[in-house]
Amino acid sequence: MKKTALAVSLALVVVVAFGCSNWNKMTPQPLDNKAIQSEVEKNLAADGLTGIVHVSEVHEGVVTLTGTVKSASDRRKGYDDAAKVKGVKSVKDEIKVEP
């Protein structure tokens, strides 16, 4: 009985120790400008803003958006689509809303 309890306790300690360790996990690399642009364009496409909102430039994590949309909510969607991409430091919103 003592051997079984000892073996179970030892196994539990080993599982917890390896499960909680961080030694084998890689830190993801930040996205480069081209990858950031690609991710922003995917987000714009998912919101139906492809061809309306354009990623005119990405430089050191700063995304510049241009284009003309029909509503302020579409403009906000475009901004949010860019801002939520990992590696984006700021968004220059040059999107115009049609009168």
Side-chain angles (χ1 to χ4, degrees), residues 25-97:
K25 296 180 182 169
M26 291 178 42
T27 303
Q29 295 294 325
L31 297 176
D32 64 4
N33 292 329
K34 200 138 192 96
I36 289 172
Q37 181 172 348
S38 176
E39 288 300 310
V40 171
E41 288 171 348
K42 285 179 193 175
N43 291 344
L44 293 171
D47 277 338
L49 297 174
T50 302
I52 301 169
V53 176
H54 309 282
V55 180
S56 62
E57 183 181 16
V58 179
H59 181 68
E60 295 181 6
V62 178
V63 177
T64 303
L65 299 175
T66 58
T68 304
V69 294
K70 293 182 180 184
S71 67
S73 66
D74 283 344
R75 180 181 186 187
R76 183 67 191 179
K77 283 181 193 176
Y79 178 91
D80 291 343
D81 286 342
K84 69 183 175 185
V85 173
K86 185 176 179 120
V88 171
K89 296 176 184 170
S90 67
V91 179
K92 289 183 183 178
D93 183 357
E94 297 178 2
I95 302 169
K96 296 180 177 132
V97 179

